[in-house]
Amino acid sequence: MSLHNINPTKTLSWEKLTNHFQDIQHTTIKEYYKDPNRKQDFSIQFQDVFVDFSKNRISKETISLLVNLAKEVGLKEAIESQFSGEVINVTENRAVLHTALRSNSDEPILVDGKNIKPQIQAALRKIKSFTNKVTSGKWKGYTGKPITDIVNIGIGGSDLGPDMIVESLKFYKNQLNTHFVSNVDGDHVSEIIKKLNPETTLFVIVSKTFTTQETLSNAETIKNWFLKSATIFDIPKHFVAVSTNLEAIDNFGISKENVFPMWDWVGGRFSLWSAVGLSISLSVGFENYKALLDGAEAMDIHFRNEDFENNIPVILALISIWYNNFYNAETEAVLPYSQYLSKLPAYLQQAIMESNGKGVDRNGDKIDYQTGTIVWGSTGTNMQHAFMQLVHQGTKLIPADFIGFKESLYGLTDHHKKLMANLYGQMDALAFGKTAEEVHLELKSSGKEDKIATLLPFKVFEGNRPSNAILIDKLTPESLGKLVALYEHKIFTQGILWNIYSYDQFGVELGKELANKLLKNQ
Ligand code: F6P
């Protein structure tokens, strides 16, 4: 069974949503909050992940109509198609199976009639044994010294995912220092090389295609730098690769036993769960890497089995569609209240915008409604002192996800209380604002009555600005896996509803072609 190709705007559910929007568009979050059960009715707890979506411009009817839309376009069947390995990436003639990479079940998944689970298990065993050798110091460099530094050479999905996870799990890191080289800007690689000793550095070249200009240029530059002090016979001790392109790896001089597999049924931006995540495993140890995968699997099971009304990725996807397609919101903010998650917004920009930035539907027709949202963000509380002014009082509607952890990792409870108070404070300010009456009273009681006439309009917060809270008990490899998988499934759900193909990325090709042409003519 393939995906349905239904234009969402032509469905009965869409028509009902359009009418419903006319009815409730002026109802405020403050008014919804008069219901004492609001928070309870508009939140979902799944294991250690609590999602509060009560501060949105939605009623129970909105959710029910959006859920009907999801049903009408065949989301349930689409989820099954994805998990069972059907070729849902039609334009590239591929299955989409990053979920298989983290599956602990024995259920076979067939690609071209062959069960892929044994290859996944074999790759995991290889990652584990390699990780253990390097982290224990048994793996030696060409002068007999243990490895101290890892350099991941890759770009896009072969960089952003591993980089984001390594940064997010810094608390769990071992003695190895991990670096990431991605940009073709030679100054990037030069700055990284500067810190390295070739005798104790291991390079992980990550490229699904092994044709990417940036990655190959950086790998060549690094190899040449390495060969200034070592010989080509030392390369096996210092260079490993993750790719589907065995021939190109061989040409580069990497030995077969140093190659970790990648498969065409894993999209680059969803590949951190494959050997593309080798630098994660090296940085935090295999057990933590496996816990990350297990967390993602828990979210997969939730997404696959839970009713849409209680399904976190589905609900967040539907609410985002509500703003994107009915309120004409253009962007959404992702605001983690954890310094560890500082790279999450950049990672999500690729995952979301490369997936759902499409203007042609699954029938090949030009789309006349809005699809992929623009995603941006930064960490709290820093961003409160930067861009939040616009989110609070600007002219644009920017729905935001606030991500927080109940517990901090180092246990500075005083800091953590302040951090979380800020998270809740921001959400309340956005939702409920401050009325003219409140500003009036405030100025009066602080003895600034004479300023009321001039200052009052500037100090009013109209509120009614939507946000979700994603609150997790503690930042662990497992909970991080759940969080990332949550967003992956949100992307999938939105792609299905918008009737687009989320797993190709032809839009990145033209610029590459033109750059190559320009290079040739130079
Ligand atoms: O820029 C597009 C893209 O194809 C991404 O989707 C991908 O993650 C990145 O380039 C890197 O590709 P590769 O892993 O093949 O080097």
Side-chain angles (χ1 to χ4, degrees):
M1 192 179 61
S2 56
L3 303 177
H4 299 303
N5 296 354
I6 299 172
N7 179 337
T9 65
K10 302 279 186 262
T11 59
L12 182 62
S13 305
W14 197 277
E15 195 184 317
K16 288 188 179 168
L17 278 162
T18 309
N19 294 333
H20 174 67
F21 176 71
Q22 295 305 328
D23 294 343
I24 72 148
Q25 60 173 312
H26 300 299
T27 310
T28 63
I29 299 171
K30 208 183 240 178
E31 281 160 343
Y32 287 126
Y33 252 80
K34 284 183 187 147
D35 177 354
N37 297 325
R38 175 76 185 177
K39 202 160 171 176
Q40 199 186 321
D41 293 346
F42 291 80
S43 56
I44 302 171
Q45 178 86 52
F46 166 63
Q47 297 179 354
D48 52 348
V49 181
F50 177 73
V51 174
D52 172 2
F53 53 100
S54 61
K55 293 187 178 74
N56 280 293
R57 296 198 202 172
I58 53 170
S59 65
K60 283 188 184 160
E61 196 186 348
T62 323
I63 292 291
S64 137
L65 292 172
L66 286 165
V67 164
N68 285 346
L69 173 67
K71 289 180 182 162
E72 197 175 341
V73 300
L75 177 62
K76 189 78 194 157
E77 298 93 305
I79 294 173
E80 277 315 302
S81 299
Q82 182 194 29
F83 275 86
S84 59
E86 283 174 33
V87 178
I88 60 162
N89 177 1
V90 172
T91 47
E92 294 183 332
N93 194 28
R94 290 170 184 169
V96 177
L97 281 169
H98 45 279
T99 50
L101 298 168
R102 53 227 193 185
S103 163
N104 284 297
S105 99
D106 297 331
E107 183 196 350
I109 298 178
L110 306 182
V111 171
D112 297 329
K114 210 174 139 203
N115 182 13
I116 56 168
K117 289 279 180 70
Q119 342 169 24
I120 296 171
Q121 295 308 328
L124 277 173
R125 284 195 297 274
K126 189 166 176 165
I127 295 172
K128 181 178 181 178
S129 112
F130 183 72
T131 302
N132 289 344
K133 273 188 224 153
V134 176
T135 55
S136 66
K138 276 194 195 130
W139 182 284
K140 301 276 194 285
Y142 70 96
T143 56
K145 293 180 186 162
I147 298 298
T148 57
D149 290 76
I150 307 292
V151 180
N152 186 95
I153 310 168
I155 197 165
S158 299
D159 165 74
L160 289 161
D163 191 10
M164 179 274 288
I165 301 280
V166 166
E167 181 66 24
S168 301
L169 296 181
K170 219 159 136 184
F171 180 78
Y172 301 89
K173 92 179 256 309
N174 52 31
Q175 78 283 8
L176 301 174
N177 296 312
T178 312
H179 315 266
F180 290 85
V181 180
S182 52
N183 202 328
V184 77
D185 175 357
D187 292 341
H188 190 190
V189 66
S190 304
E191 282 295 339
I192 299 286
I193 288 174
K194 204 162 83 178
K195 303 176 202 155
L196 301 172
N197 175 357
E199 295 171 57
T200 57
T201 303
L202 180 80
F203 299 97
V204 184
I205 309 175
V206 187
S207 177
K208 183 174 164 183
T209 55
F210 224 84
T211 57
T212 306
Q213 183 196 58
E214 293 90 334
T215 303
L216 296 189
S217 307
N218 283 325
E220 277 300 332
T221 301
I222 285 181
K223 186 165 88 173
N224 292 337
W225 168 81
F226 177 77
L227 291 176
K228 277 186 194 154
S229 45
T231 72
I232 47 166
F233 303 108
D234 300 321
I235 286 183
K237 292 193 172 85
H238 292 268
F239 286 83
V240 301
V242 184
S243 186
T244 53
N245 188 346
L246 300 182
E247 200 186 322
I249 295 177
D250 192 44
N251 292 341
F252 187 86
I254 292 182
S255 46
K256 274 204 184 72
E257 57 280 13
N258 283 354
V259 179
F260 291 79
M262 179 57 182
W263 301 282
D264 71 359
W265 37 264
V266 181
R269 52 194 174 273
F270 301 95
S271 64
L272 69 91
W273 322 99
S274 71
V276 168
L278 184 61
S279 54
I280 304 170
S281 181
L282 289 165
S283 163
V284 295
F286 182 78
E287 297 311 317
N288 282 323
Y289 178 63
K290 183 69 175 63
L292 176 84
L293 268 57
D294 290 346
E297 187 198 26
M299 188 54 77
D300 294 343
I301 294 169
H302 168 81
F303 176 60
R304 191 174 182 179
N305 299 329
E306 195 55 73
D307 289 344
F308 292 163
E309 287 82 356
N310 292 311
N311 191 314
I312 295 172
V314 172
I315 288 294
L316 292 183
L318 293 175
I319 292 173
S320 159
I321 288 178
W322 178 238
Y323 295 120
N324 187 58
N325 295 89
F326 294 89
Y327 281 94
N328 299 323
E330 297 230 307
T331 80
E332 24 188 66
V334 177
L335 311 172
Y337 275 63
S338 162
Q339 200 52 36
Y340 289 115
L341 299 193
S342 60
K343 294 190 174 177
L344 184 69
Y347 162 79
L348 287 177
Q349 281 178 329
Q350 187 204 17
I352 295 172
M353 290 158 80
E354 200 166 87
S355 298
N356 287 339
K358 310 287 165 62
V360 170
D361 72 11
R362 290 200 292 268
N363 294 307
D365 295 330
K366 193 168 157 39
I367 285 171
D368 61 0
Y369 49 90
Q370 288 294 321
T371 61
T373 49
I374 299 164
V375 183
W376 56 282
S378 177
T379 50
T381 57
N382 300 25
M383 57 44 171
Q384 292 176 197
H385 303 270
F387 55 66
M388 283 307 282
Q389 164 64 39
L390 184 145
V391 184
H392 284 287
Q393 284 191 317
T395 52
K396 294 179 171 59
L397 179 71
I398 303 171
D401 284 352
F402 286 80
I403 302 169
F405 297 92
K406 291 187 189 152
E407 226 182 284
S408 74
L409 294 182
Y410 282 97
L412 296 181
T413 45
D414 173 53
H415 281 262
H416 201 65
K417 271 187 196 155
K418 289 174 185 162
L419 178 72
M420 295 310 281
N422 272 285
L423 181 153
Y424 294 119
Q426 290 292 317
M427 289 186 70
D428 283 352
L430 287 168
F432 307 121
K434 194 190 268 184
T435 61
E437 292 72 33
E438 285 166 330
V439 177
H440 193 282
L441 193 69
E442 194 179 271
L443 288 169
K444 200 172 157 189
S445 52
S446 61
K448 292 182 184 151
E449 219 163 347
D450 56 325
K451 296 273 190 297
I452 290 176
T454 48
L455 279 185
L456 190 131
F458 304 102
K459 287 186 158 267
V460 169
F461 285 65
E462 63 184 10
N464 206 22
R465 294 174 186 231
S467 63
N468 299 303
I470 302 174
L471 299 169
I472 300 173
D473 288 354
K474 190 176 166 181
L475 176 56
T476 62
E478 202 167 344
S479 67
L480 182 64
K482 287 177 199 170
L483 180 68
V484 176
L486 182 171
Y487 278 104
E488 287 180 344
H489 297 316
K490 179 183 169 188
I491 293 167
F492 171 83
T493 300
Q494 295 194 313
I496 293 300
L497 266 82
W498 285 323
N499 194 28
I500 54 178
Y501 286 121
S502 297
Y503 296 101
D504 60 23
Q505 56 285 315
F506 298 117
V508 302
E509 296 305 329
L510 180 59
K512 287 187 198 171
E513 270 168 40
L514 297 181
N516 283 334
K517 258 191 208 153
L518 288 168
L519 265 178
K520 270 191 197 135
N521 296 336
Q522 266 174 18

